Amino acid sequence: MRQHTRLIRSAVLATTVAVSLVLVTGSTLAQSYPAKPISLIVPFAAGGPTDIVARTLAAAMSKPLGQTVLVENKLGAGGTLAASYVAKAAPDGYTFLIHHNGMSTAPALYRKLSFNPLTDFEYVGQVVDVPMTLIGRKDLPAKNLQELMAYVKANASKINLANAGLGAVSHLCGMLFQKAMGTEVTTVPFSGTAPALNALLGGQVDLLCDQTTQTTQHIKAGTVKLFGVTTKERIRAMPDAATLNEGGLKDFEVIVWHGVYAPKGTPVSVIEKFNAALRTALKDPAFANRMTDLGAEIAPDAKQTPEGLKSWLQSETQKWGPVIRAAGVYAD
Ligand code: ASP
């Protein structure tokens, strides 16, 4: 009996020591963090919409953090390679992921996924919401959405619709566009919007649905043709641009939202510090003005939090899963 009590006592003591060690390590880490540059992993090619948001954010977050936030592009498999990399990275506060709707569509698009977006991460907060635009090569013989749909229907076997990878949000948008039209065309995946848009500018592909963060400048310069914006309401950055909804695709809506994630087990003190820097950066005029020019809207305060991102990811996963399964589309 006495031996039993002694055993319990030493177990309690060991637990207390372990807990204090974690607390000491945690608070020491909180004081010294960040002690070196931090990596922000981008799942798509450099120069694309996610990359533009990431680099503008990284510059704005480096100020409150007092350390450089380095953007690294890890391309492939519609963003899932980067997410898987971060899910398995050391949870030490020096590796983060910025990703978009792809985190909520991947579980339905990929039958084999090496990570679970809802359980394998710590959630930092949301960043910006970005509308998409359906654009075409500038010499397409269609002046508006109605003419485009007639042209696509008549030439379906010849039309190439680019996207930023199977599982990218441009893939989702293109898939919804084909479904809404009732016509299937050939899909051409790239490793991000930057190469997909180059192919459109070069006339190697016909159509692309992608974020205003990268398409606006080409729409304004007239180097691509705009057929509609994917939000229900017109956007402030291009008030003359009609929505796809107005053009006849009723209830068509895709908005790209971005979140910042850390590997599961990253200390709460680190997440809090990174989140505080994120919220400061979202108020930084350099960040906010650039985003407004590109048609992006800063996420509302309630979504800039770990809980806000997690519950939004849950609701988006519930929203897109059935849509993708009903379309019978897989990326793998
Ligand atoms: N816009 C891309 C997508 O469709 C990704 C990117 O290059 O930012 O997901």
PDB file of all heavy atoms in Angstrom, residues 38-69:
ATOM      1  N   ILE A  38      11.363  33.686 -40.507  1.00  0.00           N
ATOM      2  CA  ILE A  38      10.245  32.737 -40.512  1.00  0.00           C
ATOM      3  C   ILE A  38       9.896  32.418 -41.965  1.00  0.00           C
ATOM      4  O   ILE A  38       9.881  33.324 -42.812  1.00  0.00           O
ATOM      5  CB  ILE A  38       9.022  33.392 -39.829  1.00  0.00           C
ATOM      6  CG1 ILE A  38       9.361  33.704 -38.375  1.00  0.00           C
ATOM      7  CG2 ILE A  38       7.765  32.535 -39.941  1.00  0.00           C
ATOM      8  CD1 ILE A  38       8.404  34.678 -37.711  1.00  0.00           C
ATOM      9  N   SER A  39       9.595  31.152 -42.262  1.00  0.00           N
ATOM     10  CA  SER A  39       9.198  30.785 -43.644  1.00  0.00           C
ATOM     11  C   SER A  39       7.684  30.803 -43.781  1.00  0.00           C
ATOM     12  O   SER A  39       6.976  30.230 -42.940  1.00  0.00           O
ATOM     13  CB  SER A  39       9.666  29.371 -43.986  1.00  0.00           C
ATOM     14  OG  SER A  39      11.044  29.323 -44.006  1.00  0.00           O
ATOM     15  N   LEU A  40       7.224  31.450 -44.838  1.00  0.00           N
ATOM     16  CA  LEU A  40       5.796  31.420 -45.176  1.00  0.00           C
ATOM     17  C   LEU A  40       5.692  30.660 -46.494  1.00  0.00           C
ATOM     18  O   LEU A  40       6.186  31.114 -47.533  1.00  0.00           O
ATOM     19  CB  LEU A  40       5.253  32.849 -45.318  1.00  0.00           C
ATOM     20  CG  LEU A  40       3.763  32.977 -45.627  1.00  0.00           C
ATOM     21  CD1 LEU A  40       2.898  32.357 -44.530  1.00  0.00           C
ATOM     22  CD2 LEU A  40       3.371  34.458 -45.806  1.00  0.00           C
ATOM     23  N   ILE A  41       5.080  29.491 -46.446  1.00  0.00           N
ATOM     24  CA  ILE A  41       5.032  28.623 -47.629  1.00  0.00           C
ATOM     25  C   ILE A  41       3.816  28.967 -48.485  1.00  0.00           C
ATOM     26  O   ILE A  41       2.692  29.039 -47.987  1.00  0.00           O
ATOM     27  CB  ILE A  41       4.969  27.126 -47.205  1.00  0.00           C
ATOM     28  CG1 ILE A  41       6.079  26.787 -46.206  1.00  0.00           C
ATOM     29  CG2 ILE A  41       5.010  26.212 -48.427  1.00  0.00           C
ATOM     30  CD1 ILE A  41       7.495  26.907 -46.706  1.00  0.00           C
ATOM     31  N   VAL A  42       4.081  29.166 -49.789  1.00  0.00           N
ATOM     32  CA  VAL A  42       3.021  29.471 -50.761  1.00  0.00           C
ATOM     33  C   VAL A  42       2.863  28.252 -51.677  1.00  0.00           C
ATOM     34  O   VAL A  42       3.850  27.763 -52.216  1.00  0.00           O
ATOM     35  CB  VAL A  42       3.412  30.714 -51.604  1.00  0.00           C
ATOM     36  CG1 VAL A  42       2.429  30.955 -52.732  1.00  0.00           C
ATOM     37  CG2 VAL A  42       3.494  31.945 -50.713  1.00  0.00           C
ATOM     38  N   PRO A  43       1.636  27.758 -51.856  1.00  0.00           N
ATOM     39  CA  PRO A  43       1.458  26.521 -52.615  1.00  0.00           C
ATOM     40  C   PRO A  43       1.464  26.673 -54.147  1.00  0.00           C
ATOM     41  O   PRO A  43       1.263  25.688 -54.839  1.00  0.00           O
ATOM     42  CB  PRO A  43       0.076  26.015 -52.173  1.00  0.00           C
ATOM     43  CG  PRO A  43      -0.427  26.966 -51.162  1.00  0.00           C
ATOM     44  CD  PRO A  43       0.376  28.207 -51.250  1.00  0.00           C
ATOM     45  N   PHE A  44       1.644  27.882 -54.655  1.00  0.00           N
ATOM     46  CA  PHE A  44       1.577  28.083 -56.112  1.00  0.00           C
ATOM     47  C   PHE A  44       2.783  28.890 -56.600  1.00  0.00           C
ATOM     48  O   PHE A  44       3.556  29.424 -55.798  1.00  0.00           O
ATOM     49  CB  PHE A  44       0.266  28.788 -56.480  1.00  0.00           C
ATOM     50  CG  PHE A  44      -0.943  27.975 -56.115  1.00  0.00           C
ATOM     51  CD1 PHE A  44      -1.682  28.283 -54.985  1.00  0.00           C
ATOM     52  CD2 PHE A  44      -1.322  26.876 -56.878  1.00  0.00           C
ATOM     53  CE1 PHE A  44      -2.782  27.517 -54.616  1.00  0.00           C
ATOM     54  CE2 PHE A  44      -2.425  26.106 -56.524  1.00  0.00           C
ATOM     55  CZ  PHE A  44      -3.155  26.425 -55.383  1.00  0.00           C
ATOM     56  N   ALA A  45       2.879  29.017 -57.934  1.00  0.00           N
ATOM     57  CA  ALA A  45       4.044  29.650 -58.562  1.00  0.00           C
ATOM     58  C   ALA A  45       4.236  31.108 -58.137  1.00  0.00           C
ATOM     59  O   ALA A  45       3.267  31.810 -57.829  1.00  0.00           O
ATOM     60  CB  ALA A  45       3.900  29.562 -60.080  1.00  0.00           C
ATOM     61  N   ALA A  46       5.483  31.551 -58.140  1.00  0.00           N
ATOM     62  CA  ALA A  46       5.814  32.943 -57.834  1.00  0.00           C
ATOM     63  C   ALA A  46       5.163  33.858 -58.868  1.00  0.00           C
ATOM     64  O   ALA A  46       5.033  33.495 -60.041  1.00  0.00           O
ATOM     65  CB  ALA A  46       7.321  33.126 -57.855  1.00  0.00           C
ATOM     66  N   GLY A  47       4.734  35.033 -58.421  1.00  0.00           N
ATOM     67  CA  GLY A  47       4.128  36.004 -59.343  1.00  0.00           C
ATOM     68  C   GLY A  47       2.625  35.832 -59.501  1.00  0.00           C
ATOM     69  O   GLY A  47       1.972  36.658 -60.133  1.00  0.00           O
ATOM     70  N   GLY A  48       2.047  34.768 -58.928  1.00  0.00           N
ATOM     71  CA  GLY A  48       0.601  34.536 -59.041  1.00  0.00           C
ATOM     72  C   GLY A  48      -0.161  35.221 -57.911  1.00  0.00           C
ATOM     73  O   GLY A  48       0.438  35.850 -57.039  1.00  0.00           O
ATOM     74  N   PRO A  49      -1.500  35.093 -57.905  1.00  0.00           N
ATOM     75  CA  PRO A  49      -2.331  35.790 -56.920  1.00  0.00           C
ATOM     76  C   PRO A  49      -2.028  35.432 -55.462  1.00  0.00           C
ATOM     77  O   PRO A  49      -1.940  36.322 -54.614  1.00  0.00           O
ATOM     78  CB  PRO A  49      -3.752  35.362 -57.279  1.00  0.00           C
ATOM     79  CG  PRO A  49      -3.680  34.886 -58.673  1.00  0.00           C
ATOM     80  CD  PRO A  49      -2.301  34.367 -58.888  1.00  0.00           C
ATOM     81  N   THR A  50      -1.843  34.154 -55.153  1.00  0.00           N
ATOM     82  CA  THR A  50      -1.563  33.769 -53.771  1.00  0.00           C
ATOM     83  C   THR A  50      -0.194  34.311 -53.371  1.00  0.00           C
ATOM     84  O   THR A  50       0.010  34.796 -52.249  1.00  0.00           O
ATOM     85  CB  THR A  50      -1.604  32.225 -53.619  1.00  0.00           C
ATOM     86  OG1 THR A  50      -2.781  31.749 -54.270  1.00  0.00           O
ATOM     87  CG2 THR A  50      -1.632  31.807 -52.168  1.00  0.00           C
ATOM     88  N   ASP A  51       0.734  34.243 -54.323  1.00  0.00           N
ATOM     89  CA  ASP A  51       2.094  34.744 -54.093  1.00  0.00           C
ATOM     90  C   ASP A  51       2.092  36.262 -53.860  1.00  0.00           C
ATOM     91  O   ASP A  51       2.798  36.762 -52.986  1.00  0.00           O
ATOM     92  CB  ASP A  51       2.931  34.381 -55.324  1.00  0.00           C
ATOM     93  CG  ASP A  51       4.395  34.725 -55.160  1.00  0.00           C
ATOM     94  OD1 ASP A  51       5.077  34.021 -54.408  1.00  0.00           O
ATOM     95  OD2 ASP A  51       4.847  35.714 -55.771  1.00  0.00           O
ATOM     96  N   ILE A  52       1.266  36.982 -54.612  1.00  0.00           N
ATOM     97  CA  ILE A  52       1.203  38.448 -54.450  1.00  0.00           C
ATOM     98  C   ILE A  52       0.691  38.790 -53.042  1.00  0.00           C
ATOM     99  O   ILE A  52       1.264  39.622 -52.341  1.00  0.00           O
ATOM    100  CB  ILE A  52       0.287  39.090 -55.531  1.00  0.00           C
ATOM    101  CG1 ILE A  52       0.929  38.960 -56.917  1.00  0.00           C
ATOM    102  CG2 ILE A  52      -0.005  40.565 -55.209  1.00  0.00           C
ATOM    103  CD1 ILE A  52       0.034  39.359 -58.080  1.00  0.00           C
ATOM    104  N   VAL A  53      -0.382  38.103 -52.614  1.00  0.00           N
ATOM    105  CA  VAL A  53      -0.918  38.344 -51.261  1.00  0.00           C
ATOM    106  C   VAL A  53       0.153  37.987 -50.226  1.00  0.00           C
ATOM    107  O   VAL A  53       0.414  38.744 -49.292  1.00  0.00           O
ATOM    108  CB  VAL A  53      -2.208  37.508 -51.022  1.00  0.00           C
ATOM    109  CG1 VAL A  53      -2.633  37.567 -49.561  1.00  0.00           C
ATOM    110  CG2 VAL A  53      -3.340  38.000 -51.919  1.00  0.00           C
ATOM    111  N   ALA A  54       0.808  36.823 -50.427  1.00  0.00           N
ATOM    112  CA  ALA A  54       1.807  36.347 -49.450  1.00  0.00           C
ATOM    113  C   ALA A  54       2.975  37.320 -49.322  1.00  0.00           C
ATOM    114  O   ALA A  54       3.406  37.638 -48.219  1.00  0.00           O
ATOM    115  CB  ALA A  54       2.312  34.973 -49.869  1.00  0.00           C
ATOM    116  N   ARG A  55       3.488  37.804 -50.457  1.00  0.00           N
ATOM    117  CA  ARG A  55       4.672  38.683 -50.401  1.00  0.00           C
ATOM    118  C   ARG A  55       4.316  40.052 -49.798  1.00  0.00           C
ATOM    119  O   ARG A  55       5.103  40.627 -49.050  1.00  0.00           O
ATOM    120  CB  ARG A  55       5.303  38.839 -51.791  1.00  0.00           C
ATOM    121  CG  ARG A  55       6.078  37.595 -52.163  1.00  0.00           C
ATOM    122  CD  ARG A  55       6.696  37.597 -53.536  1.00  0.00           C
ATOM    123  NE  ARG A  55       6.981  36.216 -53.906  1.00  0.00           N
ATOM    124  CZ  ARG A  55       8.106  35.570 -53.617  1.00  0.00           C
ATOM    125  NH1 ARG A  55       9.082  36.195 -53.005  1.00  0.00           N
ATOM    126  NH2 ARG A  55       8.266  34.295 -53.951  1.00  0.00           N
ATOM    127  N   THR A  56       3.122  40.555 -50.114  1.00  0.00           N
ATOM    128  CA  THR A  56       2.718  41.845 -49.545  1.00  0.00           C
ATOM    129  C   THR A  56       2.513  41.677 -48.035  1.00  0.00           C
ATOM    130  O   THR A  56       2.908  42.525 -47.238  1.00  0.00           O
ATOM    131  CB  THR A  56       1.417  42.345 -50.220  1.00  0.00           C
ATOM    132  OG1 THR A  56       1.508  42.107 -51.623  1.00  0.00           O
ATOM    133  CG2 THR A  56       1.181  43.824 -49.988  1.00  0.00           C
ATOM    134  N   LEU A  57       1.909  40.548 -47.649  1.00  0.00           N
ATOM    135  CA  LEU A  57       1.678  40.266 -46.227  1.00  0.00           C
ATOM    136  C   LEU A  57       2.999  40.054 -45.489  1.00  0.00           C
ATOM    137  O   LEU A  57       3.190  40.573 -44.382  1.00  0.00           O
ATOM    138  CB  LEU A  57       0.795  39.015 -46.096  1.00  0.00           C
ATOM    139  CG  LEU A  57       0.420  38.616 -44.679  1.00  0.00           C
ATOM    140  CD1 LEU A  57      -0.533  39.644 -44.073  1.00  0.00           C
ATOM    141  CD2 LEU A  57      -0.218  37.236 -44.636  1.00  0.00           C
ATOM    142  N   ALA A  58       3.908  39.296 -46.095  1.00  0.00           N
ATOM    143  CA  ALA A  58       5.191  38.995 -45.453  1.00  0.00           C
ATOM    144  C   ALA A  58       5.936  40.296 -45.138  1.00  0.00           C
ATOM    145  O   ALA A  58       6.482  40.456 -44.040  1.00  0.00           O
ATOM    146  CB  ALA A  58       6.031  38.096 -46.353  1.00  0.00           C
ATOM    147  N   ALA A  59       5.918  41.236 -46.089  1.00  0.00           N
ATOM    148  CA  ALA A  59       6.615  42.512 -45.870  1.00  0.00           C
ATOM    149  C   ALA A  59       5.961  43.263 -44.709  1.00  0.00           C
ATOM    150  O   ALA A  59       6.645  43.811 -43.841  1.00  0.00           O
ATOM    151  CB  ALA A  59       6.574  43.345 -47.144  1.00  0.00           C
ATOM    152  N   ALA A  60       4.620  43.258 -44.672  1.00  0.00           N
ATOM    153  CA  ALA A  60       3.901  43.995 -43.613  1.00  0.00           C
ATOM    154  C   ALA A  60       4.064  43.312 -42.252  1.00  0.00           C
ATOM    155  O   ALA A  60       4.123  43.986 -41.227  1.00  0.00           O
ATOM    156  CB  ALA A  60       2.431  44.123 -43.975  1.00  0.00           C
ATOM    157  N   MET A  61       4.148  41.968 -42.222  1.00  0.00           N
ATOM    158  CA  MET A  61       4.283  41.264 -40.933  1.00  0.00           C
ATOM    159  C   MET A  61       5.703  41.323 -40.382  1.00  0.00           C
ATOM    160  O   MET A  61       5.909  41.199 -39.172  1.00  0.00           O
ATOM    161  CB  MET A  61       3.845  39.799 -41.084  1.00  0.00           C
ATOM    162  CG  MET A  61       2.343  39.637 -41.160  1.00  0.00           C
ATOM    163  SD  MET A  61       1.831  37.906 -41.216  1.00  0.00           S
ATOM    164  CE  MET A  61       2.141  37.347 -39.545  1.00  0.00           C
ATOM    165  N   SER A  62       6.679  41.488 -41.276  1.00  0.00           N
ATOM    166  CA  SER A  62       8.078  41.540 -40.813  1.00  0.00           C
ATOM    167  C   SER A  62       8.281  42.707 -39.854  1.00  0.00           C
ATOM    168  O   SER A  62       9.086  42.629 -38.928  1.00  0.00           O
ATOM    169  CB  SER A  62       9.025  41.688 -42.007  1.00  0.00           C
ATOM    170  OG  SER A  62       8.935  40.544 -42.818  1.00  0.00           O
ATOM    171  N   LYS A  63       7.516  43.804 -40.073  1.00  0.00           N
ATOM    172  CA  LYS A  63       7.687  45.000 -39.220  1.00  0.00           C
ATOM    173  C   LYS A  63       7.312  44.691 -37.769  1.00  0.00           C
ATOM    174  O   LYS A  63       8.162  44.791 -36.891  1.00  0.00           O
ATOM    175  CB  LYS A  63       6.867  46.178 -39.763  1.00  0.00           C
ATOM    176  CG  LYS A  63       7.312  46.657 -41.144  1.00  0.00           C
ATOM    177  CD  LYS A  63       6.537  47.897 -41.563  1.00  0.00           C
ATOM    178  CE  LYS A  63       6.035  47.776 -42.971  1.00  0.00           C
ATOM    179  NZ  LYS A  63       5.036  48.790 -43.333  1.00  0.00           N
ATOM    180  N   PRO A  64       6.065  44.304 -37.442  1.00  0.00           N
ATOM    181  CA  PRO A  64       5.748  44.031 -36.033  1.00  0.00           C
ATOM    182  C   PRO A  64       6.516  42.852 -35.449  1.00  0.00           C
ATOM    183  O   PRO A  64       6.762  42.815 -34.239  1.00  0.00           O
ATOM    184  CB  PRO A  64       4.237  43.752 -36.035  1.00  0.00           C
ATOM    185  CG  PRO A  64       3.870  43.463 -37.444  1.00  0.00           C
ATOM    186  CD  PRO A  64       4.866  44.189 -38.296  1.00  0.00           C
ATOM    187  N   LEU A  65       6.918  41.882 -36.276  1.00  0.00           N
ATOM    188  CA  LEU A  65       7.627  40.716 -35.734  1.00  0.00           C
ATOM    189  C   LEU A  65       9.098  41.016 -35.473  1.00  0.00           C
ATOM    190  O   LEU A  65       9.757  40.333 -34.693  1.00  0.00           O
ATOM    191  CB  LEU A  65       7.532  39.529 -36.718  1.00  0.00           C
ATOM    192  CG  LEU A  65       6.179  38.821 -36.783  1.00  0.00           C
ATOM    193  CD1 LEU A  65       6.120  37.895 -37.993  1.00  0.00           C
ATOM    194  CD2 LEU A  65       5.905  38.031 -35.500  1.00  0.00           C
ATOM    195  N   GLY A  66       9.631  42.039 -36.164  1.00  0.00           N
ATOM    196  CA  GLY A  66      11.054  42.367 -36.008  1.00  0.00           C
ATOM    197  C   GLY A  66      11.958  41.310 -36.611  1.00  0.00           C
ATOM    198  O   GLY A  66      13.123  41.189 -36.264  1.00  0.00           O
ATOM    199  N   GLN A  67      11.412  40.506 -37.498  1.00  0.00           N
ATOM    200  CA  GLN A  67      12.179  39.464 -38.196  1.00  0.00           C
ATOM    201  C   GLN A  67      11.654  39.359 -39.620  1.00  0.00           C
ATOM    202  O   GLN A  67      10.484  39.658 -39.869  1.00  0.00           O
ATOM    203  CB  GLN A  67      11.970  38.095 -37.538  1.00  0.00           C
ATOM    204  CG  GLN A  67      12.855  37.806 -36.349  1.00  0.00           C
ATOM    205  CD  GLN A  67      14.331  37.612 -36.695  1.00  0.00           C
ATOM    206  OE1 GLN A  67      14.696  37.460 -37.865  1.00  0.00           O
ATOM    207  NE2 GLN A  67      15.176  37.646 -35.688  1.00  0.00           N
ATOM    208  N   THR A  68      12.503  38.899 -40.520  1.00  0.00           N
ATOM    209  CA  THR A  68      12.062  38.740 -41.906  1.00  0.00           C
ATOM    210  C   THR A  68      11.124  37.544 -42.036  1.00  0.00           C
ATOM    211  O   THR A  68      11.379  36.496 -41.434  1.00  0.00           O
ATOM    212  CB  THR A  68      13.293  38.480 -42.811  1.00  0.00           C
ATOM    213  OG1 THR A  68      14.257  39.465 -42.485  1.00  0.00           O
ATOM    214  CG2 THR A  68      12.941  38.547 -44.276  1.00  0.00           C
ATOM    215  N   VAL A  69      10.042  37.742 -42.786  1.00  0.00           N
ATOM    216  CA  VAL A  69       9.188  36.606 -43.147  1.00  0.00           C
ATOM    217  C   VAL A  69       9.531  36.287 -44.599  1.00  0.00           C
ATOM    218  O   VAL A  69       9.359  37.118 -45.495  1.00  0.00           O
ATOM    219  CB  VAL A  69       7.689  36.937 -42.983  1.00  0.00           C
ATOM    220  CG1 VAL A  69       6.827  35.765 -43.434  1.00  0.00           C
ATOM    221  CG2 VAL A  69       7.384  37.308 -41.532  1.00  0.00           C
TER     222      VAL A  69
END
